Amino acid sequence: KEQQSYSPQVSNTMNIDVLVTLEELYLGTIKKMKITRKIHNNSFSFTKKQEIIKIKIKRGYKEGTKITFKGKGNQLYNMLPGSIFFIIKEKKHNLYTRNQDNLIVEKEITLKEALVDYLIELPFLDKTIIREKINDNLVIHPNYKHVIKGKGMPNSKKEKYGDLHINFKIKFPKKLSLYQKKLIKNIL
């Protein structure tokens, strides 16, 4: 006669959102989360247990990434404790937008800057300043996109970085004097 082995059921999983900045996703960080879980003593009563869990956010994690802590969730009576899924939620950044491993930024420049030498200067996620000169003979036209290779987000699974895409928005002057118009006509 075979003996049946009994394996207790596992309690439900808890899902907890972790709000992370783009800077933290770029550099990686440790987040401390205070959790409260219920441990049921019987069918009618439970005790609450508070704990601080350290979550390692790896460089390049994406929105929706789940970090699992097995056995740290609620525990129903006569069952094993459930898991906790910490789910990465990215805070909106005031300058950069993320698209997979690429970063996108919109840069407003004047018509003069678009027509003559232009030096891009942007504060970056690692507290440095990006400085890149646009080619001397290049004119930045509406819808022009400049790409800086390897200056995007790190990929958490591969040893590589995405790119930085700079979209230019050209601010045209509201008016020109007759003299300025004449000069432009003679040059162009």
Side-chain angles (χ1 to χ4, degrees), residues 3-166:
Q3 271 197 323
Q4 288 184 331
S5 64
Y6 170 75
S7 58
Q9 288 184 301
V10 178
S11 304
N12 293 341
T13 301
M14 293 169 61
N15 292 321
I16 300 174
D17 291 345
V18 181
L19 212 52
V20 186
T21 65
L22 199 54
E23 288 86 351
E24 289 171 325
L25 292 171
Y26 183 82
L27 297 168
T29 190
I30 303 278
K31 285 279 194 186
K32 291 179 182 176
M33 297 291 289
K34 185 177 186 179
I35 59 142
T36 303
R37 59 191 192 122
K38 295 177 184 175
I39 300 169
H40 289 258
N41 306 318
N42 53 44
S43 303
F44 308 107
S45 71
F46 61 85
T47 54
K48 285 185 176 180
K49 184 179 177 187
Q50 286 194 329
E51 191 176 345
I52 297 202
I53 294 181
K54 287 183 181 179
I55 306 160
K56 184 176 183 183
I57 310 290
K58 289 184 182 175
R59 295 166 45 96
Y61 268 179
K62 292 180 173 73
E63 170 104 12
T65 300
K66 287 183 181 178
I67 303 161
T68 307
F69 282 80
K70 288 189 177 197
K72 291 289 185 180
N74 293 330
Q75 183 175 3
L76 297 175
Y77 181 62
N78 265 350
M79 293 173 82
L80 293 173
S83 298
I84 297 178
F85 287 154
F86 289 102
I87 302 164
I88 300 294
K89 296 290 179 194
E90 183 183 312
K91 285 184 187 176
K92 186 175 176 4
H93 197 272
N94 63 347
L95 188 61
Y96 295 99
T97 306
R98 183 178 184 173
N99 183 356
Q100 300 297 334
D101 292 337
N102 295 324
L103 288 171
I104 300 162
V105 65
E106 190 171 281
K107 184 76 173 144
E108 187 175 81
I109 61 173
T110 65
L111 180 59
K112 181 181 172 185
E113 290 170 326
L115 295 173
V116 294
D117 298 346
Y118 182 66
L119 176 68
I120 300 167
E121 289 190 326
L122 291 168
F124 198 58
L125 301 173
D126 60 2
K127 306 251 188 282
T128 62
I129 302 288
I130 293 173
R131 286 185 178 85
E132 179 147 330
K133 194 171 187 324
I134 299 288
N135 197 332
D136 289 341
N137 58 0
L138 185 71
V139 171
I140 299 172
H141 54 81
N143 302 321
Y144 172 76
K145 293 175 182 1
H146 186 78
V147 177
I148 301 175
K149 293 280 186 197
K151 201 62 181 169
M153 291 296 289
N155 186 300
S156 62
K157 294 180 176 122
K158 304 171 195 161
E159 288 294 316
K160 67 174 200 146
Y161 286 77
D163 301 326
L164 173 59
H165 295 254
I166 303 166

